[in-house]
């Protein structure tokens, strides 16, 4: 996303959830990707980190997909335009889940669950942390939604695959 005033890249999210140009302080409006189930907003500004999911899956063909700066609600994230996965700090993840669950007013949804697809990754198939390159832990999220998430203890960040946040928000349980 480029600033409409000075054409500089816009990637800074302020406390109100609006993007602000680092150079001229002009506010910019960012919209969620049209096909994003999780309402992922990406600015188009690439980070220096590779997508752990796309690069893991695409390591055989040599493709490198870089994460972009973005947001989910008012939380800053890095996201992948290709797989729509999200790299988020643990405290931000907790705030995001709390906000999404408290705002959700639709029917409780229990999604189909296939342990082979939706369960934790096997020891041999775990993702590499995009920050420190260590192997991330893969485990069942302790809250609602029957999802398995990936986490780097050293970097205190969580990787969410596309749709996992929505499954958590719409799952039955206390809101």
């Amino acid at each position: 996303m480029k600033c409409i005033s000075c054409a500089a890249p816009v990637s800074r999210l302020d406390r109100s959830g609006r993007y602000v140009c680092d150079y001229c302080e002009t506010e910019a409006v960012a919209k969620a990707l049209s096909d994003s189930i999780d309402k992922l907003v990406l600015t188009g500004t690439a980070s220096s980190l590779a997508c752990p999911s796309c690069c893991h899956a695409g390591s055989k063909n040599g493709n490198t997909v870089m994460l972009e700066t973005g947001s989910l609600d008012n939380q800053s994230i890095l996201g992948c335009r290709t797989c729509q996965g999200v790299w988020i700090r643990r405290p931000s993840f907790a705030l995001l889940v709390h906000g999404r669950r408290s705002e959700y007013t639709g029917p409780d949804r229990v999604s189909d669950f296939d342990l082979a697809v939706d369960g934790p990754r096997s020891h041999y198939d775990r993702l590499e942390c995009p920050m420190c390159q260590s192997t991330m832990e893969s485990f069942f999220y302790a809250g609602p939604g029957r999802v398995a998430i990936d986490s780097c203890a050293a970097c205190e960040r969580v990787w969410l695959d596309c749709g996992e946040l929505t499954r958590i928000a719409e799952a039955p349980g206390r809101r």
Side-chain angles (χ1 to χ4, degrees):
M1 175 169 50
K2 299 226 182 258
C3 176
I4 58 171
S5 181
C6 71
V10 176
S11 61
R12 183 171 49 117
L13 190 68
D14 70 6
R15 291 178 189 237
S16 68
R18 294 180 185 231
Y19 285 94
V20 179
C21 177
D22 286 329
Y23 299 99
C24 70
E25 297 294 320
T26 299
E27 286 188 358
V29 177
K31 295 180 183 175
L33 300 178
S34 60
D35 60 345
S36 174
I37 189 169
D38 294 323
K39 301 177 188 162
L40 178 62
V41 175
L42 296 175
T43 64
T45 303
S47 72
S48 61
L49 303 177
C51 173
S53 184
C54 290
C55 292
H56 177 72
S59 61
K60 293 175 184 164
N61 61 20
N63 290 341
T64 301
V65 177
M66 304 308 283
L67 296 175
E68 298 178 26
T69 58
S71 61
L72 284 168
D73 302 344
N74 289 346
Q75 302 301 320
S76 295
I77 56 97
L78 292 177
C80 178
R81 190 171 297 272
T82 303
C83 70
Q84 294 187 8
V86 174
W87 185 238
I88 186 169
R89 293 179 314 231
R90 280 189 193 153
S92 297
F93 172 62
L95 291 171
L96 184 62
V97 166
H98 177 73
R100 289 275 178 109
R101 285 195 54 78
S102 63
E103 291 173 7
Y104 182 70
T105 57
D108 288 344
R109 296 190 182 166
V110 179
S111 58
D112 293 335
F113 183 81
D114 180 355
L115 183 60
V117 175
D118 300 319
R121 298 176 202 276
S122 73
H123 177 70
Y124 300 104
D125 199 33
R126 299 231 171 117
L127 300 178
E128 187 177 279
C129 173
M131 294 178 82
C132 70
Q133 286 72 50
S134 65
T135 302
M136 290 194 281
E137 293 296 318
S138 183
F139 54 89
F140 283 110
Y141 170 61
R146 295 195 303 183
V147 298
I149 60 176
D150 304 283
S151 177
C152 179
C155 296
E156 296 187 359
R157 301 212 180 214
V158 174
W159 175 258
L160 300 171
D161 292 317
C162 179
E164 289 179 338
L165 180 60
T166 298
R167 287 171 70 178
I168 292 169
E170 297 176 355
R174 188 177 66 178
R175 300 209 180 270

